[in-house]
């Protein structure tokens, strides 16, 4: 939010009275334009009869509500399992990448790089179609492999971002590597990494919607079932208008939580030793970790 | 091996489909992302609000939901276009939010003094932006934009599941023809690796040529 502060940007000076007036004019014009656009969309919605009673009727029925709630529950279930498993896998892979043994390190690196470069959907389809796994395990496995690999990178860069002096001091005190990791580096790194980890979990939550494509009965799938019902005059647009705020709202809540944690940590003296950038989705550029 | 040699034309068509989607969606995402980033750093409040809303909503939208809404929803308003165009629209808009954030943080890395010095030399806003700020921002923005475009190439696989001609979609044709499904996927995976590695090679060159460590 640096740009919101007039003095904090390199782009322009604090506007004078004439510029201020000009800016207000631009602001009013653009607001009008956006309002006109919104009005046009609303007009289109009415024009194509999206607010008829038949199309919105299904949402009153208990069965339909339960169908939607079950879908939402399945989405959250897939997310919860995938989140826990990818944290575990990420930890394992990070340990592998930080290992002192070269073969372990290479193996972990190969694994991480491969799964970060592969589209999640290709993995999910491979597990679902080629290995003939049920939709839920296929979805969870795909999400775990991808997010686990990305999280491994986050963990590794977090541990590496802890000031070098901390590690050196710990070794100088005669601690073993496990002790250095467990007592000194990991506690400091985890605090600094927390926002990046939560941001990655948002990605996992968003990607649970891929389950729709392999007929996992999640939220979007429930919506599709209702939307293709002829009895209610194919209420596709109403379904989208109900589903998307819930989906986007969930992801936004999690994102805001990540930002809140990040803001809190910026003030906290405990995380001074490490500064971790949010995870980039699969950087393949060597040297730009 | 014969899965590839027997179906080279199917694979090639799918590969080209993915490349096409990636290229067009990248162009849309870069243009839209640039516009939104300039909105987000603009001095006018309502521009900033618009940019922020665009980024916040799109970044938190599952891409499948966006595809679902755009590919199946827009035709209900009488807007009938080829599915590929819809897919480019959805992918481009989605990615533009990430490009916007990359560009904005790039602009924010340029030290404040640069703009102040430019203005005190009497440069206008557009001169400051185009000759001082953007060239410097461009240098630090290469790696994040690269990884965003790689993510776009990977996300284009979702379009295949919505019956757009695309690399992942080829598995359906091939499995109907009775080919070994595992090998089918191995070649598909290789196709994606080729595309993502190509993008990363291009951005590596850009980074070597113009990048600076900040």
């Amino acid at each position: 939010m640096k740009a919101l502060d007039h003095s904090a940007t390199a782009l322009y000076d604090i506007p004078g009275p004439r510029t201020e007036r000009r800016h207000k004019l631009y602001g009013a014009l653009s607001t009008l334009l956006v309002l006109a656009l919104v009005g046009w969309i609303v007009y289109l919605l009415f024009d194509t009869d999206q607010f008829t009673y038949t199309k919105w009727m299904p949402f009153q029925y208990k069965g339909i509500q339960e169908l939607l709630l079950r879908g939402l529950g399945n989405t959250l279930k897939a997310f919860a399992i995938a989140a826990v498993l990818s944290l575990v896998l990420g930890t394992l892979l990070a340990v592998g990448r930080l290992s002192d043994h070269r073969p372990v390190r290479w193996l972990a690196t190969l694994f991480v790089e491969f799964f970060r470069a592969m589209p999640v959907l290709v993995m999910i389809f491979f597990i679902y179609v080629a290995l003939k796994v049920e939709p839920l395990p296929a979805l969870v496995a795909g999400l775990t492999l991808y997010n686990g690999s990305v999280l491994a990178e986050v963990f590794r860069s977090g541990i590496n971002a802890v000031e070098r002096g901390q590690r050196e001091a710990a070794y100088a005190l005669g601690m073993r590597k496990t002790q250095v990791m467990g007592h000194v580096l990991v506690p400091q790194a985890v605090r600094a990494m927390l926002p990046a980890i939560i941001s990655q979990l948002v990605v996992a939550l968003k990607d649970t919607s891929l389950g729709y494509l392999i007929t996992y009965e999640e939220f979007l799938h429930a919506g599709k079932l209702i939307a293709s019902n002829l009895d209610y005059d194919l209420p596709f647009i109403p379904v989208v208008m109900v589903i998307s705020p819930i989906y986007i709202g969930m992801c936004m809540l999690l994102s805001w939580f990540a930002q809140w944690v990040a803001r809190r940590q910026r003030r906290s003296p405990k995380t001074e030793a490490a500064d971790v950038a949010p995870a980039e989705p699969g950087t393949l550029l060597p040297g730009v970790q | 091996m014969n899965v590839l040699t027997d179906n080279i034309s199917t694979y090639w068509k799918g590969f080209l489909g993915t490349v096409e989607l990636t290229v067009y969606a990248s162009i849309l995402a870069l243009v839209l992302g640039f516009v939104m980033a300039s909105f987000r750093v603009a001095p006018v409040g309502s521009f900033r609000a618009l940019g922020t809303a665009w980024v916040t909503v799109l970044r938190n939208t599952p891409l499948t939901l966006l595809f679902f809404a755009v590919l199946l929803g827009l035709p209900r308003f009488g807007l009938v276009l080829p599915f590929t165009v819809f897919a480019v629209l959805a992918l481009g808009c989605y990615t533009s939010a990430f490009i916007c954030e990359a560009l904005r943080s790039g602009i924010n890395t340029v030290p404040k003094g640069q703009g102040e010095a430019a203005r005190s030399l009497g440069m206008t806003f557009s001169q400051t932006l185009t000759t001082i700020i953007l060239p410097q921002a461009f240098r630090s923005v290469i790696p994040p934009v690269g990884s965003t475009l790689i993510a776009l190439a990977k996300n284009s696989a979702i379009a295949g599941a919505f019956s757009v001609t695309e690399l992942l979609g080829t598995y359906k044709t091939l499995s109907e023809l009775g080919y070994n499904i595992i090998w089918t996927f191995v070649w598909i995976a290789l196709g994606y690796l080729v595309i993502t590695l190509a993008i990363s090679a291009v951005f590596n060159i850009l980074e070597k040529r113009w990048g600076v460590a900040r």
Side-chain angles (χ1 to χ4, degrees):
Chain A
M1 289 295 115
K2 250 164 111 189
L4 292 179
D5 186 5
H6 276 309
S7 58
T9 168
L11 288 171
Y12 45 83
D13 287 313
I14 297 166
R18 241 172 57 205
T19 321
E20 193 90 56
R21 238 173 298 142
R22 199 158 43 97
H23 285 172
K24 278 207 182 107
L25 180 70
Y26 291 159
L29 282 180
S30 63
T31 313
L32 269 181
L33 207 68
V34 171
L35 282 181
L37 197 68
V38 171
W40 183 60
I41 291 171
V42 171
Y43 167 74
L44 265 185
L45 285 174
F46 274 107
D47 195 44
T48 49
D49 294 326
Q50 301 301 341
F51 291 112
T52 54
Y53 176 68
T54 1
K55 287 201 175 182
W56 286 85
M57 177 177 62
F59 297 106
Q60 292 178 348
Y61 296 147
K62 210 142 199 127
I64 298 273
Q65 288 169 359
E66 269 168 14
L67 180 71
L68 278 176
L69 280 181
R70 209 162 40 237
L72 190 59
N74 279 339
T75 290
L76 291 177
K77 188 167 85 183
F79 167 65
I81 304 175
V84 171
L85 287 183
S86 30
L87 284 172
V88 172
L89 181 68
T91 313
L92 285 178
L93 287 174
V95 168
R97 289 209 65 174
L98 291 166
S99 165
D100 286 336
H101 308 284
R102 198 171 289 162
V104 178
R105 214 160 53 219
W106 278 349
L107 218 65
T109 309
L110 196 71
F111 191 93
V112 167
E113 291 302 326
F114 177 77
F115 283 109
R116 281 199 323 160
M118 221 10 65
V120 207
L121 193 59
V122 171
M123 283 185 271
I124 294 176
F125 265 81
F126 176 76
I127 298 167
Y128 177 62
V129 176
L131 305 183
K132 298 196 174 53
V133 177
E134 290 291 297
L136 175 64
L139 177 65
V140 168
L143 291 180
T144 303
L145 286 174
Y146 176 69
N147 291 300
S149 303
V150 177
L151 281 175
E153 274 306 274
V154 174
F155 292 156
R156 193 182 64 101
S157 64
I159 299 235
N160 282 340
V162 176
E163 241 179 277
R164 223 178 55 199
Q166 300 280 332
R167 176 200 309 258
E168 285 165 0
Y171 276 122
L173 287 174
M175 288 172 139
R176 271 179 280 109
K177 190 184 173 197
T178 329
Q179 288 175 314
V180 175
M181 283 286 168
H183 293 299
V184 180
L185 297 183
V186 172
Q188 297 189 71
V190 162
R191 287 199 195 96
M193 283 185 303
L194 215 51
I197 295 172
I198 301 171
S199 308
Q200 191 56 38
L201 291 184
V202 176
V203 176
L205 177 58
K206 276 171 24 176
D207 283 348
T208 52
S209 64
L210 293 173
Y212 164 69
L213 303 173
I214 55 166
T215 68
Y216 174 55
E217 284 161 352
E218 47 84 76
F219 201 34
L220 210 53
H221 189 264
K224 171 78 179 176
L225 278 185
I226 302 165
S228 52
N229 197 328
L230 269 173
D231 289 348
Y232 310 125
D233 198 14
L234 299 173
F236 185 83
I237 305 290
V239 163
V240 169
M241 284 164 80
V242 169
I243 283 187
S244 29
I246 299 177
Y247 239 130
I248 298 172
M250 284 193 304
C251 299
M252 262 185 202
L253 272 181
L254 206 52
S255 301
W256 273 331
F257 181 54
Q259 279 168 18
W260 179 76
V261 171
R263 248 201 315 276
R264 250 176 70 99
Q265 303 219 317
R266 224 165 286 149
R267 292 198 301 261
S268 155
K270 284 181 184 164
T271 51
E272 261 177 293
D275 187 23
V276 180
E280 287 293 341
T283 334
L284 281 167
L285 313 175
V288 200
Q289 296 296 351
Chain B
M1 190 66 203
N2 64 345
V3 180
L4 180 69
T5 45
D6 288 0
N7 300 290
I8 194 79
S9 73
T10 314
Y11 270 120
W12 185 239
K13 233 194 264 158
F15 184 78
L16 280 188
T18 298
V19 171
E20 199 185 9
L21 264 182
T22 309
V23 169
Y24 289 143
S26 302
I27 294 170
L28 179 66
L30 286 172
V31 171
L32 257 181
F34 179 75
V35 170
M36 286 300 157
S38 42
F39 276 10
R40 284 206 75 174
V41 297
V44 183
S46 60
F47 284 2
R48 276 201 307 265
L50 183 63
T52 312
W54 177 270
V55 168
T56 318
V57 169
L58 279 176
R59 279 222 300 185
N60 289 306
T61 308
L63 188 52
T64 323
L65 176 65
L66 195 63
F67 266 103
F68 184 74
V70 169
L71 266 76
L72 307 175
L74 285 187
R76 312 260 161 155
F77 295 120
L79 187 65
V80 183
L81 293 170
F83 263 25
T84 316
V85 178
F86 281 138
V88 167
L89 259 168
L91 259 180
C93 288
Y94 177 77
T95 315
S96 75
F98 295 89
I99 297 273
C100 167
E101 280 310 89
L103 293 180
R104 191 178 67 103
S105 58
I107 290 175
N108 280 343
T109 56
V110 177
K112 211 170 77 178
Q114 296 286 330
E116 285 172 358
R119 279 194 304 277
S120 67
L121 287 174
M123 286 182 159
T124 62
F125 176 74
S126 52
Q127 278 177 324
T128 313
L129 195 65
T130 52
T131 59
I132 306 292
I133 308 291
L134 285 184
Q136 296 187 58
F138 169 67
R139 288 161 178 268
S140 60
V141 126
I142 297 170
V145 167
S147 60
T148 310
L149 292 188
I150 288 171
L152 184 150
K154 293 194 294 177
N155 283 335
S156 73
I158 298 176
F162 282 96
S163 57
V164 175
T165 312
E166 187 270 349
L167 194 50
L168 178 61
T170 55
Y171 93 89
K172 250 182 210 151
T173 329
L174 295 189
S175 72
E176 272 162 21
L177 290 173
Y179 283 98
N180 183 330
I181 197 78
I182 294 189
W183 278 103
T184 310
F185 269 98
V186 168
W187 294 116
I188 288 175
L190 215 69
Y192 278 106
L193 275 185
V194 167
I195 294 172
T196 48
L197 286 177
I199 299 175
S200 107
V202 167
F203 275 85
N204 254 330
I205 294 170
L206 290 178
E207 171 74 9
K208 280 228 179 69
R209 179 78 181 71
W210 284 299
V212 282
R214 273 193 193 282

